[in-house]
Amino acid sequence: MQILDFNHISQIFVNSLELVVVFATICAALEFTFPAYRYSLASYARGVRNWLIRLGLGAFVWHFFAVGLAWLGVKPLVTINFATLLHSENAIVSSGLAVLSGVLVAIAGDFFYYWMHRAQHAVPFLWRLHATHHSIRELTAWNCNHHISEPLVYAALVALPLALIHFESGVVPIVAMTLITFQAHLSHSSTRINLGPFRYIIGDNKFHRIHHSMEPHHRHRNYGFFTTLWDTIFLTAYWPKKNEWPEVGMRNQPEPLTVRDYIMFPFDRHRWRKPKVGNAVEARD
């Protein structure tokens, strides 16, 4: 693989964009049809713009990540193959087991995401990068961007461990990546449609909304991305009540509206200037 292969980079971008467009648009349709909140069309436009920026720069990150693994000769130390554990001669059962194996891969991978996410809320520098995402107040399936630096953090703390401990389903990345991408948009979607009791296994928008809440009693809760199992195991799960749908964002940080604000959010001194004693406004963390 070439150090700078623009064909590979563009392919990563196109593949990622296709998944985002499909699933963000499906969830957006649910938001317009069954809204929990109605947000401005401008917020959707910002979301589209920021996704293009993030996916474009992210394609370079993932290309260089793949080049780095190949150059260093990094190979899995352990491979866990769900496809060999879950198989059947029956075509229908086999298809169901293939989907299940994809779900299990996503759940296993989410273990590393869970701890990365907790680190983002605990380490000040990582929090500044991640706070770009938490500052969003018009949170929708399209307007749910992370900072452009997020792929670097994800590569180091999630993708690299997964390169060493490889989970195989037999259909990866098709099923697992499809599930994960859909989850990314559903979990931020402002629609009344949710997963109901399945929430105790797979995270949904109602569960993840708590993580973005401005309410103090919701802090340090619901870190999991795809599954809620790790939150349950590590005692950070908060199960939303029937009509609990809190306001989201950060009390002392407005949502970035321009491209400059979006890119410079973690590095803007005016945003992160410590308030004077007696005038402090509590930040959402």
Side-chain angles (χ1 to χ4, degrees), residues 24 27-39 43-44 137-144 185-194 205-206 209 245-246 248:
C27 291
L30 294 176
E31 291 170 353
F32 287 115
T33 308
F34 307 101
Y37 272 111
R38 287 196 182 277
Y39 290 127
S43 70
Y44 286 89
R137 296 187 180 182
E138 294 189 88
L139 190 64
T140 66
W142 266 110
N143 193 30
C144 57
H185 298 284
L186 176 64
S187 63
H188 295 101
S189 182
S190 179
T191 175
R192 296 197 310 268
I193 301 298
N194 56 68
N205 50 339
K206 197 168 183 181
R209 183 88 179 182
W245 191 262
V248 299

Side-chain angles (χ1 to χ4, degrees), residues 17-66:
L17 183 61
E18 286 177 347
L19 289 175
V20 168
V21 169
V22 170
F23 292 120
T25 302
I26 290 173
C27 291
L30 294 176
E31 291 170 353
F32 287 115
T33 308
F34 307 101
Y37 272 111
R38 287 196 182 277
Y39 290 127
S40 67
L41 292 178
S43 70
Y44 286 89
R46 286 196 302 274
V48 173
R49 178 199 67 196
N50 292 347
W51 269 112
L52 290 171
I53 295 170
R54 186 192 170 208
L55 292 177
L57 295 175
F60 282 87
V61 172
W62 294 118
H63 169 72
F64 287 122
F65 179 77

Side-chain angles (χ1 to χ4, degrees), residues 133-170:
H133 178 60
H134 274 275
S135 70
I136 298 173
R137 296 187 180 182
E138 294 189 88
L139 190 64
T140 66
W142 266 110
N143 193 30
C144 57
N145 302 97
H146 291 78
H147 190 255
I148 57 173
S149 61
E150 190 92 353
L152 293 170
V153 180
Y154 190 94
L157 300 182
V158 178
L160 182 57
L162 287 176
L164 299 174
I165 305 174
H166 181 62
F167 297 94
E168 178 63 68
S169 74

